[in-house]
């Protein structure tokens, strides 16, 4: 009786190592096939292509023509916190001007918008204005007040371009 662990004769390879090699090659080929198949068929099987998943930028923002822009001088105010300590805040507002509005027209009316923006900021607490979740509310109200003072017909869009607090 022959022993399986016995050394093969010279020139012959053991049967186990041929089976292992064949098993490894088949495994690698199957793995590569599954990877390639998944890359090509995965999006189709999932129902959506990657291009469909990515959000498209707003068409109105890209198609809108901007005639001119103007920036209001920085607004610096002191705000009080809950402990009655004073904190400084600097805000800069920029405006996309409506067609037909010149920068000189904007400069004539900007003190009105600046006054309303300052009044709004001074009426707020430091905690409210600096809380990240409140930024959209603050931004909307601040730009709304400035736009009201300058005149909505002169402004296409208002933007906060600087918002710093200490």
């Amino acid at each position: 009786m022959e022993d399986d662990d016995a050394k093969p004769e010279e020139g012959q390879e053991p049967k186990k190592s041929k089976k292992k090699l064949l098993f490894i090659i088949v495994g690698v080929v199957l793995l590569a096939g599954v990877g390639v198949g998944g890359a090509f068929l995965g999006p189709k099987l999932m129902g959506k292509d990657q291009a469909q998943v990515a959000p498209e930028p707003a068409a109105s923002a890209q198609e809108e023509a901007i005639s001119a822009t103007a920036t209001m001088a920085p607004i610096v105010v002191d705000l009080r916190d809950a402990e009655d300590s004073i904190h400084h805040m600097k805000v800069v507002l920029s405006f996309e001007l409506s067609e037909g509005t010149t920068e000189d027209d904007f400069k004539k009316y900007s003190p009105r918008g600046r006054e309303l923006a300052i009044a709004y900021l001074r009426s707020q607490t430091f905690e409210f204005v600096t809380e990240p979740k409140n930024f959209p509310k603050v931004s909307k109200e601040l730009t709304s007040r400035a736009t009201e003072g300058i005149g909505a017909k002169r402004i296409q869009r208002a933007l906060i371009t600087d918002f710093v607090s200490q």
Side-chain angles (χ1 to χ4, degrees):
M1 200 160 127
E2 287 185 327
D3 188 11
D4 285 343
D5 292 335
K7 290 184 181 179
E9 294 178 24
E10 273 187 49
Q12 291 182 345
E13 290 186 29
K15 291 182 181 180
K16 286 184 180 180
S17 73
K18 280 187 180 180
K19 287 182 181 179
K20 281 184 181 179
L21 181 61
L22 182 62
F23 181 71
I24 290 173
I25 290 173
V26 169
V28 168
V29 169
L30 284 174
L31 187 61
V34 168
V36 169
F40 286 107
L41 296 176
K44 289 180 183 176
L45 294 174
M46 293 298 289
K48 289 190 178 180
D49 191 52
Q50 284 291 3
Q52 293 173 338
V53 174
E56 294 183 23
S60 62
Q62 291 181 1
E63 294 173 8
E64 244 176 50
I66 301 171
S67 59
T69 60
T71 301
M72 193 179 279
I75 297 170
V76 180
V77 294
D78 293 331
L79 302 174
R80 295 200 178 265
D81 64 13
E83 298 171 359
D84 211 34
S85 297
I86 295 176
H87 298 272
H88 305 294
M89 172 168 269
K90 174 183 152 189
V91 177
V92 177
L93 299 172
S94 296
F95 300 88
E96 295 174 1
L97 304 178
S98 298
E99 194 171 323
T101 302
T102 64
E103 196 168 344
D104 287 337
D105 289 338
F106 172 81
K107 286 181 182 180
K108 289 177 189 175
Y109 292 95
S110 66
R112 293 179 181 179
R114 184 179 172 83
E115 179 185 31
L116 291 176
I118 290 170
Y120 169 71
L121 287 172
R122 296 212 44 182
S123 69
Q124 303 303 310
T125 64
F126 179 73
E127 290 86 1
F128 177 78
V129 173
T130 57
E131 176 65 38
K133 72 177 182 179
N134 293 335
F135 185 77
K137 293 177 203 171
V138 171
S139 174
K140 183 178 179 181
E141 189 63 30
L142 186 60
T143 58
S144 173
R145 298 243 183 147
T147 301
E148 177 186 330
I150 296 167
K153 66 182 181 183
R154 294 179 189 86
I155 297 169
Q156 187 174 358
R157 185 173 174 199
L159 306 158
I160 295 178
T161 53
D162 202 359
F163 193 85
V164 182
S165 60
Q166 288 183 320

